[in-house]
Amino acid sequence: MKRKKKDERDQMTFKRTWQNMFFALGIVWKCSPLRLIYHILSTVIGALFSFLTGTWLTRYIFNALQNDIAFNKVAAVLCGIYGSYIVFNIFCAAFNRIMTPILKLKVAKKLNHMLFEMVANVDLSCYDDTKFYEKFTMTIPEAMGKVDDFAMYLISWFLDGMVHIITNAAIIVAIEPVLILLSFAPLVTNLIFGKCANKMNFKYEADSREIGRSKDYVNRVFYLADYAKETHMSSIGTVMVRKLSEALKRMHSLISKDGFKRGAYYFFSEYLIDYCLIYFTAIIYAAYCLIVKGSISIGDCIVISGSITTVSGCISWVSDTYIKMRENSLFLDNMREFLAYEPKVTTAENAEKPTGDPEIKFDNVSFRYDNTDQDVLKNISFTLNKGEKIALVGANGAGKSTLVKLMMRLYDTTEGKIFCNGADIKNLELESYRDLYGVVFQDYRIFAMSVRNNVLLGYDRDDDTVIEALKAAGVYERIMELPEGIDTILTREYSEDGTVLSGGEYQKICVARVFARNAPIVILDEPSSALDPIAEYEMYENLLKMCEGRSAVFISHRLSSATLADKVLMMEKGEIIEYGSHFELIARGGKYAEMFAKQAESYIEKEGKEDEE
Amino acid sequence: MKNKKEKTPIFKKIRRTVSNNLYILRAVMRCTPAYAILIMLQNVTNALFNVYGVYFTKRLFDLFETEGVTMGHILSLIIPYLIAGLVLAVIDYYLSYVVFPKLRETLRFKLHSELYRKAQSMDISCYDDPEFYNSFVWSMNTSDNEAAQVVERLCSIAYLIISMAGIIGIVATIDPLVVLIIAICVTLSLVFKMLGTKLGVKQETDINPVKRRKEYSVRVFYLADYAKEIRTSRVAKKVLDEYELAVDDEACVIRKFAKRWVAIHIGQWTSVDSIQDMGITLLLVWKVMSNKISIGDYAAVTNSVWNLYWNMRQFIDAFSGFVESSMYIEKYRTFLEYENKITSGKRELPKFKSLKVLGLDFAYESNEENTLKCVDLEIKRGEKIAIVGYNGAGKTTLIKLLMRLYDPSKGHIEYNGRNIKDYKLDEYRNNFGTIFQDYKVFAATVAENVLGGEYTPDKEQSVLDALHRATFDDKLSELPNGIHSNLTREFDEEGVNLSGGEAQKIAIARAFARDCDLIIMDEPSSALDPISEYELNHSIKENSKDKTVIFISHRLSTTRMADRIYMFEDGRIVEQGSHDELMKLGGKYAYMFNLQAEKYKQ
């Protein structure tokens, strides 16, 4: 009973493996049928040729030698076969070099297009789900390799092996049918011990990879510039070398234990069975047939020993290929799962576009991340009125960033609703709702594109808008100094000629984005990184300018900026604990007042401080 | 003239290649002599066995043809061959699954330990030199592989020589012409291979920039960093367009090179593989038919043709391999043979009284402009010194010079009135407890992290003390094994991942744990929220009362407690004095301070 279940499971993986394989080939077929047809045909024909020039010709020649066939005739056959082989090779060379790379690119382009569109619409919450994230970060960069290259290689290895097996087996059967049994010996060992060996290898690899990780870590500590100052100023290096020698000891004991087992297994299967047993039995039996029985010729004797090794070799080759297919299948599973994913944060049916200047209202909103049981936000209610500026303050991890993400509908609420001018934001068209917001993230990104594209970010506006936006952000003059003005490519991500600007200038470009888009609501995640006071001051100026005439929400780390807001929203552990204008909150003397006093303390004149004490 | 110029480098190159390969070979002999010797033995015996195999085939088919042969004859040929093969295989498998992996690990460990020792004492400035840094990173990552490869290659040459000599001996007695045909084909295929490599390099240079563009687009789509930006704008479309443009460009490059590739490919296939096979087979068939050689001879030769062909190719490849290795080993050598510019003095370090910077200029090697210009300052025992200024004003560079991570370009630094170069380097550096702006937590226990070195039980109290001073107590009580808890998950699945603020406290404790006279803090408050920052600042203030403290600060709120403030601008000290003095002066400092304070004052 139990056994049956297990078999079923294996069958499933077998079925699944082939399903996935055909799925990958199907993608290639859809993108470029020519690529698939050529690939399969050339593989099969190539394998047939290799059989002809190898086994078949050898047999023909030996028989010819023994039967005194004229040299001219042998030479004609030989030249005929080799001649057509050469023609075939020339054709393949031309196709492989001219067509294949182009067809591959065609497949890649279509496939990545599909994937990229998928990614851009995946819910942001998927990025928090490490398992899902791993799946798709692994999927995308490897998609090309695994779907096209790998599936194609695998199928051709498989076909190549099969053709060799069939042709050589046929010749063995023609000569001495009994010997065909021999060539299946590796299959038997594989069936009996294969799984065991796989498990053993898997464990060995996993263990040594784990030890390898520690080795890599120690290596990094010594070569990364980040660690250099610390290693030079302390003797932590000796601790690290000790860790390394511990890793060495663990590795040695792993090798002594598992390496011996693995060596013994491979000696047994690779050498004893696959080689020794098959090769020598074949030779001895063939010799017996030749000398004692007199049933075969010398030519057959040579061919048969060659063919048996070929068949058994190809059998292990095909089963290796199958194992690789199964590995690849795991990846394809991920990819299929990813492709089958349906985003939850989507535009509902009959969705409307938001109209007028928006007023955003949180009504008793709670939120928790998937797969966690703790609320990140609890019962949040407040309203962002038209033109109002709200500062979000609170300790790290209080839920400030999450609140802003909910507002922009990067996530959907777990409980409660968010309204925009009275309409549930879930009933609004997603893209146009998000268009209401202009955002400068704490970890804003500059793209490796022209200044213009960095400002527009895909929105369709004319050059004047870009220039006006850059002017408003106070970076226009700097951009004009650049060799190609607003067409200058930023960052060196892919071109050595790219222009690198300072952090402050990049930030101004991000501010220009908001101007160019002319969004009614500005969201600002204040950078808490180290800026010198003057730069910080300038940054505030930039950001304030950006907020003029719009509603704004800013996440503030330095309370000094909270004073500029109409309302301050103080958060603690996912809840709003204080809400009101700066002066109201100071007057209330609660947490906000305490926090503010602590930060202000060292700035306020000494006399004041003495009074306090 | 030109000819002469070209000749010397080639000679030099050969000499350098030999010397580099010997250099790494010596390193292997020093670390794991057994590895080199065993591989050599393995290769020699395998080569002999390979030749034996060719001889065996010939004998076997000769026997088949002999009149009146019995199974007894056949078996007496096969059995010794079988047994020899078995014995060798047992040894082979044992070596390659148990002995060699172990020796490889040992080799890696020993080579790396040498490298680490070197890296630790290497001048920090080496990290700024990209070329040197690359060779250094390379050594760290692949030197052991390269070393093993050199050994393996050398031994495989021994294998190839023996095997080729044996096979050629057997084949030449049958038909020397075959050897000649193979030799010609090998040469031809090499020519095509070289042409291919050249073309490959050319295509690579053309295609690399395009590939980078493609990879960039892929990154934008899958990295979490860009996810928010993509969702809140319409940039995705733009990036996708860029990607497709790059793909089209790649196709253009491929088209440009395709014809030449086809030519090379055809040349290699037809001239070498097919013609060799066809020619040799025809030749041999004709010879057998005209009774010049036996069928056994025919079988033996056809069997060894590929054997010999591959041996010859590998033989030549092995030499080009040495040249390639030499290039890499060069990097390893540059690194190991690098001589530090910052060298230790001889003097014992006395107790700290004062540190004086006199007329100091400093420029990084890659920069033309001086990062620090004409800096003079003095620090006395027990003082609290604040260094303030704009980003890039040279503040961090100054403290690196104070710790002697760099030496000044001009001027000097005096410790108790004597140039710091006169003191023993490690003692001098140990006298500083430093909290770097980009502090690092290591994958080691809390105690080892705090001590910045090995833990011994007698140090327990000082570790606890330091952690207490850094206000780490609360977190410490949560840790499963107290100060022996492992930090990070690098080595330990159960390891503790600290938050930014907690990690910073560890870095601060590190400075306190050292019995040193000087504490340097490079803006230690960046990763904390306002309340924790406040508490930590208080604690630092309390606990460093008896120490000399130099701190770099961006928040001017912390400068108030300093005895003296140095304001930097553009590598120079522009203002100095106490907070009150500088406020009275009404200069840059006062401006900066007021900018920050303004929003807190109502």
Side-chain angles (χ1 to χ4, degrees):
Chain A
M1 178 69 200
K2 211 175 172 186
R3 182 162 194 120
K4 204 178 166 191
K5 233 183 182 170
K6 212 177 159 193
D7 282 351
E8 248 170 31
R9 215 168 41 211
D10 285 343
Q11 205 114 51
M12 275 308 284
T13 48
F14 182 78
K15 205 172 139 196
R16 186 93 189 142
T17 304
W18 279 102
Q19 269 175 357
N20 283 338
M21 190 73 196
F22 282 115
F23 167 75
L25 293 176
I27 291 179
V28 178
W29 172 259
K30 248 186 268 165
C31 298
S32 163
L34 181 60
R35 170 149 168 73
L36 192 65
I37 293 171
Y38 165 76
H39 203 80
I40 288 175
L41 277 183
S42 67
T43 307
V44 173
I45 296 174
L48 285 174
F49 264 118
S50 115
F51 167 73
L52 268 183
T53 55
T55 320
W56 188 86
L57 205 58
T58 316
R59 185 165 185 236
Y60 173 79
I61 289 170
F62 273 98
N63 287 340
L65 291 179
Q66 285 213 310
N67 300 332
D68 292 329
I69 293 173
F71 174 71
N72 288 350
K73 203 185 161 201
V74 178
V77 170
L78 223 142
C79 290
I81 289 177
Y82 272 106
S84 46
Y85 192 25
I86 289 171
V87 171
F88 171 72
N89 274 331
I90 289 176
F91 172 75
C92 285
F95 197 96
N96 285 341
R97 284 303 182 177
I98 299 174
M99 291 305 290
T100 306
I102 304 286
L103 294 179
K104 265 172 82 171
L105 280 178
K106 200 170 147 193
V107 176
K109 199 167 151 182
K110 283 194 185 169
L111 181 63
N112 276 335
H113 189 112
M114 186 169 81
L115 286 172
F116 286 172
E117 285 199 334
M118 201 59 211
V119 175
N121 291 315
V122 159
D123 290 342
L124 195 65
S125 57
C126 295
Y127 287 84
D128 309 321
D129 181 351
T130 16
K131 270 203 190 126
F132 189 87
Y133 182 64
E134 255 170 37
K135 255 176 212 163
F136 90 74
T137 45
M138 271 163 61
T139 300
I140 293 158
E142 287 180 34
M144 248 326 284
K146 297 257 164 142
V147 171
D148 186 359
D149 273 4
F150 218 55
M152 296 298 249
Y153 280 131
L154 287 173
I155 199 73
S156 63
W157 289 344
F158 186 79
L159 288 174
D160 185 67
M162 288 311 277
V163 172
H164 273 99
I165 291 173
I166 294 167
T167 48
N168 282 291
I171 225 166
I172 296 169
V173 172
I175 298 170
E176 190 62 57
V178 189
L179 283 173
I180 193 75
L181 294 175
L182 252 188
S183 52
F184 288 105
L187 201 62
V188 176
T189 35
N190 203 329
L191 277 178
I192 300 175
F193 301 108
K195 227 173 248 162
C196 232
N198 278 345
K199 225 187 252 165
M200 197 163 69
N201 277 336
F202 186 77
K203 191 178 160 274
Y204 180 77
E205 268 161 33
D207 287 353
S208 55
R209 210 176 310 127
E210 201 215 303
I211 300 172
R213 268 217 310 275
S214 341
K215 291 190 291 192
D216 290 344
Y217 171 73
V218 173
N219 218 24
R220 272 205 308 281
V221 167
F222 281 102
Y223 79 68
L224 285 184
D226 307 2
Y227 292 94
K229 279 176 294 177
E230 305 267 20
T231 51
H232 279 66
M233 294 299 296
S234 72
S235 43
I236 195 80
T238 50
V239 178
M240 291 295 127
V241 171
R242 195 197 71 221
K243 299 251 171 198
L244 193 67
S245 74
E246 281 164 10
L248 176 73
K249 267 185 220 135
R250 270 161 64 211
M251 197 63 208
H252 271 182
S253 71
L254 178 70
I255 294 170
S256 312
K257 208 177 68 199
D258 288 6
F260 188 80
K261 266 196 264 172
R262 289 172 65 235
Y265 170 77
Y266 283 111
F267 172 74
F268 175 74
S269 74
E270 274 178 11
Y271 189 82
L272 268 185
I273 305 288
D274 291 8
Y275 173 72
C276 247
L277 175 76
I278 293 169
Y279 182 70
F280 286 104
T281 320
I283 286 189
I284 293 171
Y285 187 77
Y288 167 78
C289 289
L290 177 78
I291 297 165
V292 182
K293 262 171 79 181
S295 59
I296 62 172
S297 63
I298 291 191
D300 289 346
C301 195
I302 289 182
V303 167
I304 216 155
S305 59
S307 284
I308 285 180
T309 28
T310 309
V311 172
S312 63
C314 284
I315 286 175
S316 11
W317 172 246
V318 167
S319 56
D320 283 352
T321 307
Y322 174 70
I323 290 170
K324 290 208 182 79
M325 272 186 206
R326 223 166 40 189
E327 282 164 13
N328 198 38
S329 179
L330 232 86
F331 164 83
L332 288 169
D333 258 351
N334 287 345
M335 179 163 161
R336 288 177 79 169
E337 190 184 328
F338 174 66
L339 284 176
Y341 171 84
E342 299 224 354
K344 278 174 234 136
V345 181
T346 49
T347 303
E349 272 177 63
N350 308 326
E352 292 164 18
K353 290 196 176 191
T355 45
D357 278 346
E359 173 201 279
I360 306 290
K361 189 175 164 210
F362 273 58
D363 184 21
N364 214 16
V365 168
S366 296
F367 178 75
R368 78 178 70 97
Y369 287 101
D370 289 344
N371 310 322
T372 58
D373 47 6
Q374 212 178 357
D375 281 341
V376 183
L377 291 177
K378 277 171 263 177
N379 309 325
I380 302 285
S381 299
F382 73 94
T383 308
L384 173 68
N385 295 315
K386 289 168 199 169
E388 195 175 41
K389 294 173 185 47
I390 294 185
L392 286 177
V393 299
N396 290 346
K400 301 182 301 255
S401 305
T402 311
L403 190 148
V404 163
K405 284 182 194 157
L406 284 178
M407 190 179 232
M408 289 185 280
R409 211 176 162 219
L410 288 170
Y411 297 94
D412 273 338
T413 56
T414 311
E415 276 164 52
K417 282 181 178 167
I418 302 171
F419 296 98
C420 171
N421 285 347
D424 187 338
I425 58 169
K426 283 187 188 172
N427 297 328
L428 294 173
E429 200 187 274
L430 186 62
E431 209 175 41
S432 22
Y433 176 69
R434 283 189 188 156
D435 281 350
L436 293 177
Y437 295 91
V439 201
V440 179
F441 291 106
Q442 185 178 350
D443 49 347
Y444 60 85
R445 292 283 147 186
I446 290 292
F447 291 88
M449 299 191 293
S450 65
V451 176
R452 179 212 317 269
N453 282 333
N454 261 298
V455 172
L456 290 179
L457 287 188
Y459 288 91
D460 198 18
R461 303 275 200 284
D462 57 14
D463 279 5
D464 285 342
T465 317
V466 177
I467 290 167
E468 285 310 313
L470 288 169
K471 275 185 185 159
V475 71
Y476 181 67
E477 279 171 22
R478 174 78 180 102
I479 299 295
M480 281 300 123
E481 285 168 17
L482 300 177
E484 284 165 79
I486 58 170
D487 289 315
T488 311
I489 304 283
L490 295 179
T491 83
R492 297 229 170 111
E493 291 259 17
Y494 63 65
S495 155
E496 295 300 331
D497 313 327
T499 303
V500 177
L501 299 178
S502 73
E505 285 158 347
Y506 280 146
Q507 201 187 29
K508 285 180 186 170
I509 288 178
C510 293
V511 171
R513 287 174 183 170
V514 178
F515 283 118
R517 201 192 289 189
N518 201 15
I521 307 176
V522 175
I523 304 251
L524 171 61
D525 195 351
E526 178 184 294
S528 61
S529 55
L531 283 175
D532 65 61
I534 305 263
E536 188 180 292
Y537 179 77
E538 279 176 9
M539 182 198 79
Y540 277 126
E541 294 288 294
N542 291 337
L543 299 174
L544 277 179
K545 224 191 271 173
M546 180 176 83
C547 299
E548 269 167 37
R550 302 167 211 266
S551 315
V553 176
F554 40 93
I555 299 179
S556 172
H557 302 289
R558 299 276 145 210
L559 297 185
S560 51
S561 57
T563 56
L564 306 167
D566 298 322
K567 293 262 174 63
V568 175
L569 204 154
M570 169 100 183
M571 296 184 70
E572 194 177 85
K573 290 180 185 149
E575 285 176 287
I576 298 177
I577 53 166
E578 286 169 32
Y579 182 44
S581 76
H582 171 72
F583 294 105
E584 281 168 24
L585 294 190
I586 292 289
R588 188 183 298 176
K591 286 238 171 175
Y592 176 78
E594 181 196 353
M595 213 163 145
F596 190 83
K598 274 186 178 166
Q599 279 195 9
E601 179 181 298
S602 34
Y603 289 108
I604 292 165
E605 293 302 318
K606 239 178 192 161
E607 297 82 56
K609 199 177 165 190
E610 275 160 9
D611 285 351
E612 251 174 59
E613 285 166 7
Chain B
M1 177 72 197
K2 208 183 166 193
N3 232 338
K4 211 175 173 184
K5 239 184 182 173
E6 268 171 14
K7 255 182 189 166
T8 8
I10 285 177
F11 176 67
K12 248 189 184 166
K13 207 173 145 192
I14 293 174
R15 224 176 55 186
R16 193 72 195 160
T17 302
V18 173
S19 120
N20 279 341
N21 279 286
L22 285 177
Y23 182 81
I24 201 102
L25 200 63
R26 270 201 300 276
V28 177
M29 289 305 280
R30 188 170 64 230
C31 295
T32 46
Y35 187 56
I37 294 165
L38 283 174
I39 287 198
M40 189 54 131
L41 282 176
Q42 187 196 29
N43 273 290
V44 170
T45 45
N46 281 346
L48 291 173
F49 189 70
N50 195 20
V51 177
Y52 182 23
V54 174
Y55 170 77
F56 168 79
T57 318
K58 180 179 147 53
R59 283 286 302 145
L60 186 68
F61 287 98
D62 281 345
L63 269 182
F64 283 165
E65 271 202 307
T66 317
E67 292 286 326
V69 69
T70 61
M71 279 309 277
H73 289 120
I74 304 270
L75 288 178
S76 63
L77 178 69
I78 290 178
I79 287 167
Y81 180 65
L82 177 70
I83 289 173
L86 265 177
V87 172
L88 268 183
V90 169
I91 297 173
D92 231 37
Y93 275 88
Y94 185 69
L95 284 177
S96 32
Y97 279 91
V98 181
V99 179
F100 288 159
K102 272 193 187 175
L103 285 171
R104 275 296 305 273
E105 291 293 327
T106 315
L107 176 66
R108 184 184 188 277
F109 173 73
K110 289 196 174 167
L111 282 180
H112 278 222
S113 307
E114 280 181 22
L115 288 170
Y116 295 160
R117 224 169 295 140
K118 181 76 191 175
Q120 246 180 307
S121 62
M122 181 179 76
D123 292 344
I124 287 267
S125 58
C126 295
Y127 289 89
D128 308 329
D129 176 359
E131 221 168 280
F132 186 88
Y133 184 66
N134 278 345
S135 69
F136 162 56
V137 171
W138 182 88
S139 307
M140 289 300 208
N141 285 327
T142 37
S143 58
D144 58 316
N145 278 330
E146 211 56 50
Q149 254 183 37
V150 169
V151 175
E152 280 156 22
R153 197 176 294 124
L154 211 64
C155 297
S156 82
I157 283 183
Y159 169 93
L160 292 169
I161 290 177
I162 295 170
S163 163
M164 279 193 304
I167 297 174
I168 290 176
I170 294 171
V171 174
T173 56
I174 299 167
D175 188 350
L177 198 55
V178 172
V179 180
L180 188 67
I181 295 178
I182 295 176
I184 291 171
C185 287
V186 170
T187 327
L188 272 178
S189 93
L190 267 172
V191 170
F192 282 114
K193 195 186 159 197
M194 262 156 62
L195 287 175
T197 324
K198 239 185 182 169
L199 193 61
V201 172
K202 253 194 206 158
Q203 182 171 355
E204 196 96 321
T205 26
D206 274 20
I207 233 164
N208 268 344
V210 186
K211 281 225 167 108
R212 267 173 78 181
R213 276 160 60 197
K214 260 171 58 178
E215 280 157 16
Y216 171 72
S217 307
V218 175
R219 261 202 319 276
V220 169
F221 274 105
Y222 78 77
L223 285 184
D225 308 4
Y226 294 95
K228 280 181 293 179
E229 224 59 270
I230 285 179
R231 276 159 192 71
T232 53
S233 75
R234 297 191 179 164
V235 75
K237 175 86 184 52
K238 213 77 226 167
V239 180
L240 191 57
D241 289 349
E242 292 283 329
Y243 170 78
E244 295 191 336
L245 271 178
V247 171
D248 293 344
D249 288 352
E250 193 180 346
C252 281
V253 177
I254 289 169
R255 276 201 202 95
K256 195 173 117 195
F257 285 92
K259 276 187 198 138
R260 274 174 278 177
W261 277 119
V262 174
I264 288 173
H265 215 90
I266 290 174
Q268 195 153 12
W269 267 104
T270 51
S271 76
V272 183
D273 297 358
S274 312
I275 290 176
Q276 170 185 293
D277 271 5
M278 190 166 77
I280 291 175
T281 319
L282 273 174
L283 176 75
L284 291 173
V285 169
W286 178 74
K287 280 208 147 180
V288 179
M289 285 190 159
S290 42
N291 285 326
K292 288 202 172 110
I293 56 172
S294 66
I295 291 188
D297 289 340
Y298 174 84
V301 175
T302 36
N303 240 333
S304 44
V305 165
W306 277 106
N307 209 328
L308 193 53
Y309 175 75
W310 280 113
N311 281 352
M312 283 186 178
R313 279 200 65 162
Q314 278 169 359
F315 187 69
I316 294 167
D317 282 352
F319 281 99
S320 62
F322 280 124
V323 178
E324 205 175 307
S325 285
S326 165
M327 258 154 46
Y328 294 128
I329 298 164
E330 188 80 37
K331 295 181 180 182
Y332 173 75
R333 263 184 110 161
T334 345
F335 171 59
L336 273 188
E337 287 173 355
Y338 173 81
E339 285 195 21
N340 282 339
K341 284 175 209 127
I342 297 179
T343 48
S344 182
K346 293 202 174 68
R347 232 160 233 289
E348 304 266 331
L349 194 78
K351 241 183 156 27
F352 174 68
K353 282 197 210 97
S354 76
L355 203 60
K356 224 182 221 171
V357 177
L358 294 164
L360 176 135
D361 281 359
F362 178 76
Y364 286 101
E365 266 162 47
S366 52
N367 283 6
E368 280 173 28
E369 214 193 332
N370 281 351
T371 308
L372 291 174
K373 292 163 211 157
C374 216
V375 173
D376 287 286
L377 57 84
E378 191 180 4
I379 298 157
K380 291 202 196 81
R381 188 175 182 86
E383 280 184 329
K384 311 276 178 283
I385 303 293
I387 297 175
V388 299
Y390 302 108
N391 287 350
K395 305 183 298 274
T396 306
T397 308
L398 176 74
I399 61 161
K400 284 186 194 158
L401 281 154
L402 288 180
M403 290 183 278
R404 224 187 151 209
L405 289 170
Y406 292 89
D407 274 342
S409 318
K410 220 178 104 192
H412 58 273
I413 301 171
E414 284 178 359
Y415 181 93
N416 292 0
R418 185 181 282 279
N419 194 330
I420 55 172
K421 291 183 186 176
D422 296 343
Y423 297 107
K424 286 186 179 165
L425 187 62
D426 54 337
E427 280 185 16
Y428 179 75
R429 283 188 185 157
N430 273 331
N431 205 22
F432 288 92
T434 315
I435 304 147
F436 292 102
Q437 194 171 11
D438 49 349
Y439 58 86
K440 290 282 166 199
V441 166
F442 290 88
T445 63
V446 174
E448 284 160 347
N449 260 294
V450 170
L451 291 168
E454 294 284 3
Y455 170 82
T456 46
D458 58 299
K459 291 179 187 156
E460 186 179 354
Q461 201 46 50
S462 65
V463 171
L464 287 173
D465 229 38
L467 286 169
H468 172 71
R469 293 201 212 174
T471 65
F472 193 75
D473 298 317
D474 290 348
K475 183 70 191 173
L476 187 63
S477 60
E478 285 173 22
L479 296 181
N481 299 316
I483 58 168
H484 302 298
S485 311
N486 272 316
L487 294 182
T488 84
R489 304 242 161 99
E490 298 282 353
F491 293 111
D492 185 357
E493 286 293 317
E494 315 271 277
V496 180
N497 276 332
L498 296 178
S499 72
E502 289 157 357
Q504 197 173 43
K505 288 179 183 174
I506 294 280
I508 289 164
R510 203 178 280 162
F512 283 134
R514 288 188 163 202
D515 187 23
C516 55
D517 292 325
L518 284 139
I519 290 186
I520 295 185
M521 285 187 272
D522 194 351
E523 198 206 5
S525 59
S526 53
L528 296 172
D529 59 66
I531 299 204
S532 326
E533 180 186 329
Y534 174 83
E535 282 168 7
L536 189 64
N537 276 340
H538 263 258
S539 168
I540 292 173
K541 224 189 279 181
E542 284 297 305
N543 287 296
S544 53
K545 270 184 183 148
D546 51 335
K547 306 234 174 188
T548 311
V549 183
I550 304 165
F551 54 92
I552 296 182
S553 174
H554 297 306
R555 301 270 135 225
L556 296 186
S557 54
T558 42
T559 54
R560 209 182 251 282
M561 69 181 195
D563 294 312
R564 197 157 51 256
I565 298 164
Y566 289 97
M567 168 95 186
F568 272 73
E569 191 178 76
D570 205 16
R572 280 176 222 278
I573 297 176
V574 288
E575 284 170 27
Q576 55 179 309
S578 72
H579 174 75
D580 292 336
E581 283 165 18
L582 291 184
M583 288 309 282
K584 235 172 252 161
L585 187 71
K588 295 244 171 184
Y589 177 82
Y591 174 66
M592 240 168 133
F593 187 86
N594 284 330
L595 266 186
Q596 282 191 1
E598 154 181 68
K599 293 165 198 150
Y600 288 103
K601 285 191 250 172
Q602 272 112 47

